[in-house]
Amino acid sequence: MQTLYNLLVVLHVLSWIVVLAGYLKDVKGPRVNLWMAHGLTVAFVLGLALTGIASASDAVDDPNNAKVAVKLVVALAAIGLAHATRRRPAPNPLAHVVAVLVVANVVLAYVW
């Protein structure tokens, strides 16, 4: 179970990297692109899977539920904005908001 958990952690981090790379690709004419929207969705699903595995398994430490709840709210806000504004033409200033939410979620993961 630990190996599966570690693999999902790597994929989860890679999905956040995809989101940030998608943002940096269009930073001059900001817009929410497909990489950002799909990367956020994958990161969200993987985060749910990681939380479920950590809660159910004795091989992995139990998650901090308060941290998970805060990260869930931030991720849902980012996903909602990304999918709602993905078809808006550039410049879309909400792309910056999505990027800030993603960075906030990553900072929460490592600082808390």
Side-chain angles (χ1 to χ4, degrees):
M1 191 60 72
Q2 183 70 37
T3 305
L4 174 63
Y5 185 83
N6 290 339
L7 176 65
L8 291 179
V9 167
V10 169
L11 293 174
H12 185 67
V13 170
L14 286 175
S15 64
W16 287 118
I17 291 170
V18 166
V19 174
L20 291 174
Y23 170 72
L24 291 175
K25 180 178 86 67
D26 291 334
V27 76
K28 288 187 181 179
R31 69 184 192 94
V32 178
N33 57 36
L34 198 61
W35 289 96
M36 292 174 71
H38 288 306
L40 281 165
T41 304
V42 169
F44 177 75
V45 170
L46 287 172
L48 289 178
L50 287 167
T51 303
I53 290 172
S55 296
S57 174
D58 290 333
V60 181
D61 293 335
D62 288 337
N64 179 346
N65 290 327
K67 176 181 174 180
V68 170
V70 171
K71 286 179 56 60
L72 178 69
V73 169
V74 173
L76 283 174
I79 290 169
L81 276 175
H83 283 285
T85 64
R86 186 172 63 85
R87 296 185 188 263
R88 284 192 185 174
N92 180 2
L94 290 177
H96 298 305
V97 176
V98 172
V100 167
L101 288 171
V102 167
V103 170
N105 217 349
V106 171
V107 168
L108 281 171
Y110 289 103
V111 172
W112 191 344

